[in-house]
Amino acid sequence: MKLREIQRQYNLIPDRPLLSRVAATPDDIIKKFQDAGMSPTEHQLNKEETEIVATALAALPPLHQQVLRQHLKSISFLDNMPNTALTSPVTKDEGINLYHITFRAGILHQTISEWATEKEHTCFSGSDSTISVSVQAGILNALTYILLHESTHVVDGSLQLLSADTIAGKLQPNAFTASFSKGVWKNINTHDCPFTDSIVIKSRFRPGGRRFLTAEAVKVYKALCQTPFVSLYSTASWHEDLAELLTIYHLTQTLKQPFRFVVSQYGKEIYSYEPMANTFIKKRLALLKRFYSKS
């Protein structure tokens, strides 16, 4: 089926502004949470929150704007949602993807720095209360970052940017995937050498991973700066790698916000790491030009 036929079938009107696509969460998504023993409830945006959503949508790169108009069926906000966001396909077997994005409403009242610091804290544990980890990422609303990340998944899935077929038992990636994954990924969730022994791919975001001790924080970020990954979360899969790379690039280079990890002891900074200053990461940035083409 063609895209326009799918859009008509699912009542997606490409000319409708993205802001007007705020809607109720689909029943099947609510049911997934309920089946897991959770009870999220629909959140109705007030005027201030609606303005936050509008600002975040307007901040998206050109390709995101184009693809979301064609492939984003709706977005919604939930209270008591356990995770930050969930991007879900609404199409089935038609071969063309349309999506719904669900957000935890609480992020509308956090800055990127506040939310990112909370997320980073989940990577660490331990009894050393003298050491703390934070993320300095400016004062824009957290939705700006999270929408960038989740909508990159929509672009990725809609255009099949990261994709590989198996031909005669051998993985055959498309051109974008081959360039993006070279020297970094063997497949969707397997790293290439020389990063397979790095502590950063032993985080909780990896199968069999763990929470690091806070006493290990400096070691962890010193190891991260020796890799092409912009964050610990980007090591989860090549899809998360792309979403994190694009998000932090856009946040710092287009929106002119800071982004750095900071380790402090007794309230004094003892180490910091700024991913966009990393030579390994800079070598990957040419691939992101595709997201800024207006053609």
Side-chain angles (χ1 to χ4, degrees):
M1 298 179 72
K2 295 181 179 180
L3 176 58
R4 290 193 178 278
E5 293 173 352
I6 296 295
Q7 290 170 339
R8 284 195 293 270
Q9 179 179 334
Y10 286 87
N11 194 31
L12 188 159
I13 303 172
D15 293 338
R16 284 182 61 200
L18 294 176
L19 183 60
S20 71
R21 302 185 197 188
V22 176
T25 306
D27 292 340
D28 62 326
I29 295 175
I30 295 290
K31 187 175 186 302
K32 287 180 182 178
F33 288 124
Q34 292 174 339
D35 288 347
M38 303 165 191
S39 302
T41 56
E42 211 70 49
H43 180 88
Q44 300 298 322
L45 298 178
N46 60 33
K47 182 179 179 181
E48 178 186 0
E49 292 169 338
T50 300
E51 291 175 353
I52 290 170
V53 177
T55 299
L57 287 166
L60 293 172
L63 184 61
H64 287 58
Q65 300 273 359
Q66 295 170 17
V67 172
L68 263 60
R69 280 195 291 270
Q70 301 294 328
H71 292 268
L72 182 64
K73 173 68 170 61
S74 52
I75 62 176
S76 64
F77 294 84
L78 292 176
D79 291 313
N80 301 318
M81 180 176 167
N83 53 322
T84 299
L86 179 66
T87 296
S88 309
V90 297
T91 42
K92 295 179 174 63
D93 301 318
E94 295 89 350
I96 294 175
N97 295 325
L98 304 182
Y99 294 90
H100 174 90
I101 308 177
T102 313
F103 297 96
R104 175 164 48 85
I107 64 173
L108 295 168
H109 302 282
Q110 291 183 291
T111 65
I112 297 175
S113 294
E114 291 168 341
W115 170 81
T117 295
E118 282 185 6
K119 182 174 182 177
E120 208 67 12
H121 284 174
T122 69
C123 298
F124 295 90
S125 65
S127 57
D128 190 344
S129 60
T130 70
I131 298 176
S132 63
V133 173
S134 63
V135 181
Q136 295 182 356
I139 60 172
L140 294 180
N141 189 272
L143 182 65
T144 302
Y145 186 107
I146 299 159
L147 178 63
L148 270 164
H149 181 104
E150 296 301 321
S151 60
T152 302
H153 288 321
V154 173
V155 175
D156 182 8
S158 299
L159 303 183
Q160 295 185 329
L161 294 179
L162 292 176
S163 179
D165 294 325
T166 300
I167 301 175
K170 186 176 181 180
L171 205 64
Q172 297 290 334
N174 62 34
F176 184 89
T177 305
S179 297
F180 182 80
S181 64
K182 185 177 180 181
V184 183
W185 297 95
K186 289 183 178 179
N187 56 44
I188 183 173
N189 56 15
T190 304
H191 298 106
D192 205 347
C193 293
F195 313 111
T196 50
D197 293 327
S198 174
I199 190 174
V200 302
I201 65 169
K202 296 176 174 60
S203 78
R204 74 176 191 88
F205 299 123
R206 299 289 302 163
R210 65 180 177 90
R211 296 179 72 183
F212 302 120
L213 297 175
T214 51
E216 297 179 285
V218 171
K219 178 182 178 181
V220 168
Y221 292 111
K222 282 186 175 180
L224 185 62
C225 77
Q226 297 301 314
T227 76
F229 302 112
V230 293
S231 67
L232 293 173
Y233 189 48
S234 65
T235 66
S237 72
W238 63 21
H239 296 295
E240 301 301 349
D241 185 14
L242 175 61
E244 285 286 273
L245 179 63
L246 184 284
T247 298
I248 294 174
Y249 172 82
H250 191 74
L251 180 72
T252 58
Q253 306 307 303
T254 300
L255 302 182
K256 304 303 180 184
Q257 299 297 299
F259 193 93
R260 68 187 191 118
F261 300 100
V262 177
V263 182
S264 300
Q265 187 168 33
Y266 297 109
K268 182 178 179 181
E269 181 179 315
I270 58 173
Y271 185 78
S272 68
Y273 169 53
E274 186 177 347
M276 281 300 119
N278 183 334
T279 301
F280 296 110
I281 291 170
K282 288 180 178 179
K283 291 179 180 179
R284 308 180 80 192
L285 299 182
L287 285 167
L288 301 184
K289 291 180 180 178
R290 179 167 184 170
F291 293 89
Y292 296 89
S293 172
K294 296 184 179 179
S295 59

